[in-house]
Amino acid sequence: MLDKFRFLTAGESHGKCLTAIIEGIPAGFEIDINSINEDLKRRQQGYGRGGRMKIETDTVEITSGVRFGKTIGSPVTLVIQNKDFENWQKIMSVNPEDYTEEKSFTQCRPGHADYAGSIKYNQSDLRNILERSSARKTAIETAVGSVAKQMLKQFGIICSSKIIQIGTAKEDFNSEIDRAREEGDSLGGKFEVVFENLPVGLGSYVHWDRMIDGKIAQAVMSIPAVKTVTIGNHHCYKMRGSKYHDEMFIQDGKIVRNSNNAGGIEGGMTNGEPLVVTASMKPIPTMPKPLKTVDLKTMQECQAHFERSDTCAVEACSVIAESRIACVLIDEFLIKFGGDSFEEISRKYCRK
Ligand code: EPS
């Protein structure tokens, strides 16, 4: 989907490490590792996170593409070590001699990738599905997006996010999460991400796959557990046109609006107003109080597999969404103002 800012990630949840190679970052961009690590820390936090987050202290290592804090135009490689690998070395070994049936499982978790994944990839051990479908991989995706955010920031584009609702709670989120945890259950929720100071005209209306709202929706919807994505006012379907559309006025020689129901996008393009994206996350499917399911080996009804899980990860999800959206925005930014170096892009951007 991305054209100028492209990346691939690799790594299993309990494997040695998570890796990303980003291609297309022009030379001369300042990359601050501390700022990436700060985002990784934010992704690990939030009330309701589980045991794994007590083990990991996610930090990134940059192994290519940067010298003395600035990109040099070559691919940038990011690596996050999985501390938990120490406890899974034999189970996650690449060596066939280390094979053991211990830790394999066949009781699929409804709501997770286990069932469809096992059929698609012809795997009887559901660990082979769990390991990559786990939301653990969002750690390295957050790191990639953090680089994108830093690039956007160098042009004054900044982002923020907040939780709107956890389960049915609009205020006292923590007690809602405590109750779910005590009952061995899980919770989803809703969050909002805002990007400000975007230039007019990122994206396009000329083809369906160039509409930036479509790209953002794909980027956010593909975060594990996200089920809805909205841009702007989600009550649009029941509003009259006269109330929904954001009227335009002139103030001090500039075009201004008194509302932003469009959420910063009109005609598949940014319109200069803040980009406002809301998304909802379903409850996490891995639960201490397991759901009824089927053991794919015995074909008997049983209880779903459980090792450990988070009760709620909506706060983490909002940080991941910031990153995903940043990747789309920097890609569009480079399509419009791209060049081989930061200086070249800055010149184009100033002339906009
Ligand atoms: C996660 C790491 C995982 C889970 C969680 C997210 O670690 P582990 O499987 O070792 O507990 O805590 O992922 C899921 C619950 C899931 O179903 O995908 C992380 O780093 O965010």
Side-chain angles (χ1 to χ4, degrees):
M1 184 183 77
L2 300 181
D3 187 19
K4 301 283 180 200
F5 179 91
R6 301 187 304 149
F7 65 93
L8 272 182
T9 72
E12 277 74 42
S13 179
H14 305 99
K16 192 167 194 237
C17 59
L18 302 164
T19 311
I21 299 179
I22 314 170
E23 196 265 340
I25 306 184
F29 273 97
E30 273 173 43
I31 305 294
D32 175 13
I33 285 207
N34 294 334
S35 177
I36 304 175
N37 289 340
E38 195 47 49
D39 275 339
L40 291 176
K41 196 168 161 191
R42 288 174 64 222
R43 194 202 73 93
Q44 286 199 266
Q45 287 168 346
Y47 202 71
R49 295 288 260 156
R52 180 71 184 270
M53 293 304 105
K54 294 192 179 82
I55 298 171
E56 304 294 343
T57 319
D58 291 336
T59 49
V60 77
E61 189 189 352
I62 299 180
T63 59
S64 78
V66 175
R67 280 192 80 207
F68 312 118
K70 285 193 176 180
T71 57
I72 55 172
S74 50
V76 172
T77 305
L78 308 177
V79 182
I80 298 172
Q81 300 296 333
N82 283 325
K83 276 197 192 166
D84 205 16
F85 178 60
E86 212 176 283
N87 308 313
W88 292 76
Q89 288 196 39
K90 284 269 180 212
I91 295 149
M92 292 305 293
S93 172
V94 294
N95 186 348
E97 281 148 34
D98 288 333
Y99 176 74
T100 162
E101 268 195 45
E102 188 209 347
K103 292 275 179 187
S104 72
F105 74 99
T106 51
Q107 308 85 13
C108 53
R109 295 162 298 167
H112 220 294
D114 304 344
Y115 174 63
S118 75
I119 292 170
K120 180 176 172 64
Y121 291 101
N122 193 27
Q123 296 294 315
S124 51
D125 180 0
L126 295 179
R127 175 152 308 286
N128 290 341
I129 310 304
L130 171 153
E131 284 295 334
R132 181 65 182 165
S133 64
S134 165
R136 176 75 193 141
K137 64 180 169 302
T138 61
I140 195 72
E141 292 167 355
T142 298
V144 172
S146 189
V147 171
K149 281 200 281 185
Q150 287 186 37
M151 292 170 71
L152 290 167
K153 203 170 171 188
Q154 287 168 51
F155 297 101
I157 300 161
I158 48 163
C159 84
S160 59
S161 63
K162 66 174 186 206
I163 306 299
I164 294 173
Q165 190 164 332
I166 300 287
T168 55
K170 290 194 172 164
E171 275 163 25
D172 187 7
F173 303 146
N174 292 8
S175 40
E176 182 92 347
I177 294 169
D178 286 340
R179 269 196 300 281
R181 186 192 291 109
E182 280 156 25
E183 290 163 21
D185 220 321
S186 61
L187 273 174
K190 195 171 164 189
F191 60 87
E192 178 186 90
V193 180
V194 178
F195 277 80
E196 288 174 82
N197 299 330
L198 285 162
V200 178
L202 299 184
S204 175
Y205 56 85
V206 298
H207 287 297
W208 68 274
D209 58 348
R210 296 208 182 279
M211 313 276 284
I212 199 167
D213 35 6
K215 292 186 179 190
I216 290 168
Q218 198 279 337
V220 178
M221 184 68 99
S222 57
I223 300 170
V226 166
K227 299 307 277 184
T228 69
V229 184
T230 307
I231 294 173
N233 190 337
H234 78 279
H235 294 295
C236 59
Y237 64 94
K238 58 185 178 192
M239 290 168 78
R240 292 252 179 126
S242 55
K243 291 279 178 294
Y244 174 77
H245 294 293
D246 308 308
E247 290 185 296
M248 301 165 85
F249 306 93
I250 290 284
Q251 203 175 68
D252 302 328
K254 284 189 177 155
I255 294 174
V256 294
R257 317 239 190 172
N258 291 337
S259 59
N260 184 22
N261 288 319
I265 297 180
E266 290 170 311
M269 297 167 293
T270 51
N271 65 3
E273 300 297 313
L275 170 68
V276 183
V277 181
T278 50
S280 68
M281 186 187 184
K282 70 180 181 183
I284 289 165
T286 315
M287 282 177 280
K289 185 178 75 184
L291 296 170
K292 292 187 186 112
T293 189
V294 171
D295 187 316
L296 297 180
K297 190 173 173 188
T298 63
M299 288 306 274
Q300 300 292 309
E301 289 182 10
C302 65
Q303 292 195 322
H305 175 78
F306 177 76
E307 268 159 21
R308 69 179 163 212
S309 184
D310 307 315
T311 308
C312 179
V314 178
E315 208 166 318
C317 197
S318 68
V319 179
I320 301 158
E322 285 178 12
S323 274
R324 288 284 179 91
I325 299 168
C327 291
V328 173
L329 293 175
I330 196 64
D331 189 57
E332 291 294 335
F333 193 94
L334 293 174
I335 289 170
K336 192 163 172 59
F337 304 107
D340 295 313
S341 67
F342 174 71
E343 290 71 20
E344 189 182 346
I345 298 168
S346 300
R347 277 198 301 276
K348 287 187 189 168
Y349 188 59
C350 285
R351 287 200 301 266
K352 79 178 187 298

